[in-house]
């Protein structure tokens, strides 16, 4: 029979009320690696659990009031022995109601599984994991603070990672932590990541803001075809549609519509908190691209992938990085250009061509607010010709109606 936990200072309310109030709890060990703490307050005290996190640290959680002023009810007010049992259950993850608090590592794992179920890339969850310290990964989400989240973000920048990359990792980490909070009502410290991982200012010359000329787009597509036919058509579809890599990877043979006005039905992403259903929106393509895609898809069913890697598998969103870097170098694109520059270029060119902002936002699966926030400041850099047509020139002459100046 296990030995009953005893403590002369915590067992009874009489003994506990003699303790001096202090910020730190009075601790006793109730099992290996598990301690029960009592924090003496002006009113009833509070029970706390402290458990080892497996990485040289520990986590602490307050879970109930002590029976200092009223009798224990076994739920929100606990006596000493009830608190000791509850502390062990919480630390071991055997509590039926609460369970062990989720760690950051577990939150990222759950987020990756959620992304996979929704047809999105699990890489968004794995990217920040590679840059988190063991201490942060093993820390319960409910114990995160603004200061440590902010320190982690700032250290990445100091270490040479660009602000745009840090912001992308921050978005993924925040999404994982928000998902954990939605599953556990005890996680009430969302301020830790909403404030601590606030977006950093990004330089205008990041890779996502590179706008390519038509010649540069032709060159990089040509260089991609030189690498392989599969990679060439993949990059050409990127350039033609401006879609994200994740959307292009989901294209099926049935999404190709031929005829006088050929088009691709591009699957939407599931970006946005309230988006749960994937839709498909038509994107016009040239007749020549349509013919190449038709020949490529010959013999395959409508539900089979339209674009295949060399391995004859559906494209994965992270498989284009190294070959595109080689194609970009061969095409002499600006330094730092990634495949995302093709999307940025397509959106910028559509706006410069006079397409309504709402139509551009809908066609490229984004929002009007995002278009205005991200692209309006770059339009002026590439719209000189359009603006020059509207210039007023007092010295200009109008044929048949010449006005002489004094």
């Amino acid at each position: 029979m296990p030995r009953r936990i005893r403590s002369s200072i915590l067992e009874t309310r009489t003994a506990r009320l003699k303790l001096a109030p202090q910020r730190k709890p009075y601790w006793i060990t109730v099992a290996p690696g598990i301690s029960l703490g009592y924090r003496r307050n002006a009113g009833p005290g509070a029970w706390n659990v402290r458990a080892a996190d497996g990485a040289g640290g520990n986590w602490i959680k307050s879970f109930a009031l002590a029976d200092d002023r009223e009798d224990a009810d076994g739920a929100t007010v606990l006596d000493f022995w009830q608190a000791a049992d509850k502390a062990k259950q919480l630390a071991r993850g055997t509590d039926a109601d609460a369970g062990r608090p989720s760690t950051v590592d577990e939150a990222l794992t759950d987020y990756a599984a959620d992304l996979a179920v929704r047809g999105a890339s699990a890489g968004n969850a794995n990217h920040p994991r590679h840059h988190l310290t063991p201490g942060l990964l093993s820390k319960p989400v409910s114990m995160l603070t603004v200061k440590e989240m902010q320190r982690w973000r700032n250290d990445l920048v100091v270490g040479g990672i660009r602000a745009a990359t840090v912001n992308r990792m921050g978005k993924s980490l925040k999404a994982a932590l928000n998902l954990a909070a939605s599953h556990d009502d005890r996680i009430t410290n969302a301020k830790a990541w909403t404030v601590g991982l606030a977006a950093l200012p990004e330089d205008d010359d990041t890779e996502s803001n590179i706008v390519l000329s038509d010649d540069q787009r032709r060159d990089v597509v040509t260089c991609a075809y030189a690498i392989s036919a599969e990679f060439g058509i993949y990059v050409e579809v990127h350039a033609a549609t401006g879609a994200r890599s994740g959307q292009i990877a989901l294209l099926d043979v049935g999404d190709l519509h031929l005829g006088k006005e050929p088009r691709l039905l591009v699957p939407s992403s599931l970006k946005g908190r309230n988006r749960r259903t994937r839709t498909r929106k038509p994107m016009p393509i040239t007749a020549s691209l349509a013919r190449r895609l038709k020949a490529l898809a010959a013999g395959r069913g409508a539900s089979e992938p339209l674009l295949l890697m060399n391995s004859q598998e559906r494209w994965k969103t992270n498989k284009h990085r190294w070959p595109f870097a080689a194609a970009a170098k061969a095409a002499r694109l600006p330094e730092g250009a990634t495949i995302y520059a093709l999307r940025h270029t397509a959106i910028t060119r559509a706006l410069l061509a006079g397409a309504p902002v709402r139509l551009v936002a809908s066609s490229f699966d984004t929002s009007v607010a995002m278009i205005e926030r991200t692209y309006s400041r770059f339009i002026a850099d590439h719209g000189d010709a359009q603006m020059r047509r509207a210039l007023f020139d007092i010295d200009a002459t109008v044929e048949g109606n010449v006005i002489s100046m004094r």
Side-chain angles (χ1 to χ4, degrees):
M1 183 175 180
R3 185 168 60 89
R4 195 181 192 192
I5 301 298
R6 303 302 301 265
S7 172
S8 60
I9 63 170
L10 299 183
E11 272 187 33
T12 66
R13 69 177 63 174
T14 301
R16 292 194 299 267
L17 292 176
K18 292 179 181 179
L19 298 173
Q22 63 179 35
R23 293 183 61 185
K24 293 184 178 181
Y26 293 88
W27 294 103
I28 65 163
T29 299
V30 293
I34 305 173
S35 299
L36 173 67
Y38 171 78
R39 180 177 278 110
R40 179 76 169 91
N41 302 315
W47 295 116
N48 295 260
V49 59
R50 181 175 66 194
D53 61 13
N58 55 64
W59 55 268
I60 300 173
K61 185 72 177 176
S62 177
F63 61 87
L65 293 176
D67 60 336
D68 295 342
R69 305 295 187 198
E70 57 184 304
D71 292 337
D73 60 11
T76 58
V77 181
L78 305 180
D79 62 25
F80 170 76
W81 290 280
Q82 290 171 334
D85 290 339
K86 186 76 169 181
K88 288 184 283 188
Q89 292 171 354
L90 287 169
R92 294 167 178 166
T94 58
D95 179 68
D97 298 322
R100 179 176 55 78
S102 295
T103 64
V104 173
D105 185 66
E106 291 166 339
L108 288 168
T109 299
D110 291 343
Y111 180 51
D114 183 67
L115 288 172
V117 168
R118 294 190 287 116
S121 173
N124 291 334
N126 294 325
H127 193 194
R129 190 196 302 275
H130 300 315
H131 297 272
L132 287 161
T133 63
L136 276 176
L137 283 171
S138 61
K139 189 161 189 175
V141 175
S142 58
M143 302 303 296
L144 293 173
T145 66
V146 172
K147 185 174 292 186
E148 64 187 338
M149 287 284 91
Q150 196 172 67
R151 186 186 305 116
W152 173 75
R153 180 201 65 181
N154 295 347
D155 286 347
L156 293 177
V157 177
V158 173
I161 299 178
R162 287 178 297 189
T165 304
V166 173
N167 286 342
R168 285 196 292 272
M169 284 195 287
K171 285 182 181 179
S172 297
L173 181 54
K174 283 192 286 187
L177 300 178
N178 284 331
L179 180 65
S182 70
H183 293 165
D184 191 342
D185 292 338
R186 296 171 298 167
I187 300 176
T188 58
N189 56 324
K191 182 180 178 181
W193 51 90
T194 56
V195 175
L197 297 179
L200 296 167
E202 299 180 14
D203 295 334
D204 288 352
D205 60 350
T206 58
E207 76 277 5
S208 62
N209 298 327
I210 293 174
V211 176
L212 304 175
S213 68
D214 288 345
D215 286 341
Q216 287 174 317
R217 287 195 285 181
R218 291 189 190 97
D219 288 345
V220 75
V221 171
T222 300
C223 292
Y225 272 109
I227 293 174
S228 73
E230 293 84 357
F231 186 58
I233 195 74
Y234 175 77
V235 174
E236 185 178 359
V237 171
H238 264 278
T241 65
R244 303 177 183 89
S245 298
Q247 296 171 266
I248 289 176
L250 293 173
L251 283 169
D252 292 329
V253 172
D255 294 323
L256 173 61
H257 286 232
L258 304 170
K260 292 183 178 180
E261 297 179 340
R263 62 190 184 275
L264 281 172
L265 297 183
V266 180
S268 67
S269 68
L270 294 179
K271 289 180 175 290
R273 182 172 297 181
N274 298 319
R275 298 185 69 171
R276 296 292 181 269
T277 304
R278 197 183 299 280
T279 59
R280 279 171 155 75
K281 293 188 177 180
M283 176 62 71
I285 58 175
T286 64
S288 58
L289 175 58
R291 286 193 297 270
R292 284 190 284 277
L293 289 172
K294 179 183 178 182
L296 182 73
R300 278 185 272 145
S303 61
E304 294 185 67
L306 176 62
L307 301 175
L308 297 172
M309 296 188 293
N310 295 351
S311 61
Q312 299 303 299
E313 296 177 309
R314 188 186 291 272
W315 272 93
K316 295 180 174 60
T317 55
N318 61 343
K319 294 297 183 181
H320 63 258
R321 292 177 183 171
W322 292 113
F324 187 84
K329 183 177 181 180
R332 298 182 179 179
L333 297 189
E335 185 178 355
T338 68
I339 205 165
Y340 193 85
L342 296 174
R343 173 174 172 81
H344 186 71
T345 299
I347 294 176
T348 303
R349 297 292 180 185
L351 292 170
L352 289 174
V357 174
R358 187 170 294 278
L359 174 61
V360 174
S362 176
S363 298
F364 291 98
D365 191 41
T366 186
S367 66
V368 171
M370 180 63 73
I371 290 285
E372 292 176 343
R373 181 168 63 249
T374 306
Y375 293 94
S376 59
R377 57 183 171 153
F378 301 109
I379 294 299
D381 296 336
H382 304 278
D384 182 78
Q386 284 84 341
M387 291 299 296
R388 196 164 292 281
R389 296 193 199 105
L391 287 177
F392 169 68
D393 186 356
I394 193 172
D395 294 324
T397 59
V398 180
E399 187 176 350
N401 187 25
V402 178
I403 300 176
S404 300
M405 301 298 294
R406 181 182 304 179

